[in-house]
């Protein structure tokens, strides 16, 4: 098969690309990424010279580019990770999220329809469901939970999901959707909670925690997430939505204290800051459908996964320091100066 992973230089996408390149040497893997601030080709150093891997720089919302690429490459499968994802940024600049997350998705779907793609997979989020009350630990999101987006980010992702299902119903495009809980692990951009807290704690800087830190998230290791997506693409039923959760609920404050404890840093570094607008209270996934239909289950629990993640950031300090300095954005020019 020829598989195109859009957003493949980002956090989750790069782990997906590495997994596909290594596990399926008979498949051709094309990484398509616009290389905005969150795209980093250094994430893909391990596979950049693999014979079954190729990188293409481009924008999923550029219709002419996408149609030319599909015509040339003749993809079998599209796995769409490409998205603006940071909630805080969506509050400041909603229009960027509409362009990439909605218009980019419909552009890909139009190309899939035109060129007869065998499977289009949309990587979505549990945030499309809104949130759950903190005092009802018995409640979980399942695939029938109504969409109830809280932020411009989740509204854009929910809209994209609706278009994906509309293209399946109206045009017969063979689609699947996955909605995951909060990811963590190697290669996560330092603006996100866990790597942000690790990098700031290492530098003995204040750790900003929204509100009282009681917001709850279900944490899913990125490797478990990618294994689930691979199963859905290869064995999942067309037209279905699959929730992917890690069975690892923690408050934000618990996560921050776990990081401080692992690094031997004092809790006095915690600084409570004004909560962001529309901050969801609790996310919790019921992944029974993917567990029973496809036999998937998470292999990482949070206690072991967070320590592996912390150690990765300690061992790869140069990687995140290059991001914080902006130097990582020079890698494309250095790597591809004689190829483009």
């Amino acid at each position: 098969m020829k598989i195109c992973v859009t957003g493949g230089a980002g956090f989750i996408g790069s782990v997906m690309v590495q997994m596909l390149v290594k596990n399926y040497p008979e498949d051709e893997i094309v990484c398509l990424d616009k290389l905005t601030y969150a795209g980093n080709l250094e994430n893909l150093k391990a596979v950049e010279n693999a014979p079954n891997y190729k990188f293409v720089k481009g924008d999923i919302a550029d219709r002419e580019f996408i149609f030319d690429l599909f015509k040339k490459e003749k993809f079998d499968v599209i796995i769409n990770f490409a998205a603006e994802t940071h909630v805080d940024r969506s509050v400041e600049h909603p229009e960027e999220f509409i362009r990439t997350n909605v218009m980019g998705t419909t552009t890909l779907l139009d190309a899939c329809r035109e060129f007869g793609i065998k499977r289009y997979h949309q990587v979505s989020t549990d945030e499309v469901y809104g949130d759950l009350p903190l005092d009802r630990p018995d409640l979980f999101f399942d695939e029938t939970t109504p969409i109830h987006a809280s932020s411009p980010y989740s509204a854009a992702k929910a809209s994209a999901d609706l278009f994906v299902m509309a293209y399946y119903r109206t045009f017969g495009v063979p689609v699947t959707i996955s909605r995951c809980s909060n990811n963590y692990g190697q290669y996560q951009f330092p603006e996100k909670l866990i790597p942000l807290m690790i990098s700031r704690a290492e530098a003995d800087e204040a750790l900003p925690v929204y509100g009282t830190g009681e917001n709850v998230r279900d944490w899913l290791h990125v490797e478990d997430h990618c294994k689930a997506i691979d199963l859905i693409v290869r064995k999942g039923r067309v037209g279905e939505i699959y929730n992917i959760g890690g069975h690892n609920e923690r408050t934000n404050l618990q996560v921050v204290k776990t990081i401080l404890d692992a690094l031997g840093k004092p809790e006095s570094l915690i600084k409570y800051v004004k909560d962001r607008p529309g901050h969801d209270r609790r996310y919790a996934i019921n992944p029974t459908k993917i567990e029973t239909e496809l036999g998937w289950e998470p292999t990482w629990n949070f206690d072991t996964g967070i320590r592996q993640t912390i150690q990765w950031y300690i061992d790869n300090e140069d990687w995140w320091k290059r991001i914080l300095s902006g130097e990582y954005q020079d890698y494309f020019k250095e790597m591809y100066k004689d190829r483009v």
Side-chain angles (χ1 to χ4, degrees):
M1 290 196 300
K2 179 175 276 194
I3 302 172
C4 177
V5 180
T6 70
F11 164 41
I12 309 172
S14 64
V15 176
M16 188 85 215
V17 168
Q18 289 190 50
M19 188 188 78
L20 292 173
V21 169
K22 293 174 182 177
N23 292 353
Y24 302 100
E26 71 281 5
D27 289 343
E28 296 178 68
I29 311 302
V30 176
C31 170
L32 170 62
D33 202 292
K34 188 179 177 182
L35 295 182
T36 59
Y37 78 96
N40 185 358
L41 279 181
E42 292 183 350
N43 298 356
L44 294 162
K45 277 186 176 181
V47 298
E48 65 187 9
N49 294 315
N52 62 330
Y53 166 78
K54 179 166 71 173
F55 173 76
V56 176
K57 187 175 186 290
D59 181 357
I60 64 168
D62 183 337
R63 191 175 186 86
E64 183 179 356
F65 164 77
I66 287 295
F67 272 65
D68 287 346
L69 182 67
F70 275 54
K71 183 177 181 179
K72 175 185 175 183
E73 295 290 348
K74 297 178 173 58
F75 298 121
D76 297 300
V77 173
I78 306 298
I79 304 176
N80 182 29
F81 287 95
E84 296 285 348
T85 64
H86 195 54
V87 175
D88 288 353
R89 287 177 182 262
S90 80
V91 174
E92 297 296 325
H93 302 288
E95 69 282 358
E96 297 176 7
F97 288 70
I98 295 168
R99 184 183 187 279
T100 299
N101 299 4
V102 183
M103 297 177 66
T105 297
T106 56
T107 299
L108 290 173
L109 288 166
D110 283 335
C112 288
R113 183 183 169 209
E114 175 73 18
F115 295 100
I117 299 300
K118 296 175 184 177
R119 176 66 63 89
Y120 173 89
H121 182 75
Q122 177 75 1
V123 181
S124 189
T125 170
D126 61 355
E127 294 190 42
V128 302
Y129 297 125
D131 64 352
L132 297 166
L134 292 175
D135 60 354
R136 289 293 306 275
D138 57 312
L139 296 180
F140 296 87
F141 299 136
D142 63 28
E143 289 81 2
T144 64
T145 301
I147 286 175
H148 189 68
S150 304
S151 68
Y153 160 62
S154 57
K157 291 296 288 185
S159 179
D161 287 4
L162 292 173
F163 273 105
V164 170
M165 295 310 295
Y167 271 64
Y168 167 64
R169 292 286 299 274
T170 304
F171 305 118
V173 177
V175 306
T176 43
I177 296 174
S178 59
R179 292 173 178 159
C180 67
S181 55
N182 279 45
N183 277 223
Y184 71 100
Q186 60 270 27
Y187 301 109
Q188 189 169 27
F189 199 76
E191 71 182 359
K192 298 291 188 174
L193 178 67
I194 288 175
L196 177 66
M197 297 303 163
I198 294 170
S199 62
R200 291 187 70 87
E202 280 283 87
D204 293 310
E205 296 175 343
L207 276 56
V209 174
Y210 282 131
T212 60
E214 295 306 308
N215 304 72
V216 174
R217 300 294 182 260
D218 173 22
W219 291 96
L220 173 68
H221 196 283
V222 63
E223 293 176 4
D224 285 331
H225 184 194
C226 291
K227 290 174 184 176
I229 290 172
D230 186 46
L231 272 173
I232 294 168
V233 167
R234 295 173 189 274
K235 298 181 180 179
R237 290 183 291 138
V238 169
E240 292 294 319
I241 297 168
Y242 293 89
N243 282 352
I244 310 170
H247 297 297
N248 289 298
E249 287 187 56
R250 299 289 190 283
T251 67
N252 288 346
L253 188 58
Q254 284 176 315
V255 172
V256 172
K257 287 183 176 180
T258 298
I259 291 169
L260 288 171
D261 180 65
L263 294 174
K265 301 291 185 176
E267 292 184 8
S268 58
L269 288 175
I270 296 172
K271 180 182 179 182
Y272 296 97
V273 298
K274 182 180 177 181
D275 212 349
R276 72 179 176 217
H279 196 178
D280 287 336
R281 292 162 293 179
R282 173 176 171 255
Y283 303 145
I285 284 273
N286 175 2
T288 299
K289 181 176 179 178
I290 190 172
E291 290 173 346
T292 55
E293 284 194 15
L294 303 181
W296 174 88
E297 60 181 23
T299 57
W300 290 95
N301 65 55
F302 188 75
D303 292 334
T304 55
I306 190 62
R307 293 188 177 275
Q308 176 264 351
T309 299
I310 292 168
Q311 190 61 50
W312 188 90
Y313 280 91
I314 292 171
D315 294 342
N316 292 273
E317 186 175 287
D318 288 345
W319 176 87
W320 55 263
K321 283 191 172 181
R322 280 174 58 80
I323 291 176
L324 294 178
S325 71
E327 292 178 10
Y328 77 104
Q329 292 179 320
D330 296 331
Y331 187 79
F332 173 78
K333 299 172 186 175
E334 296 167 5
M335 186 66 194
Y336 287 86
K337 61 184 178 183
D338 298 324
R339 306 190 195 184
V340 295

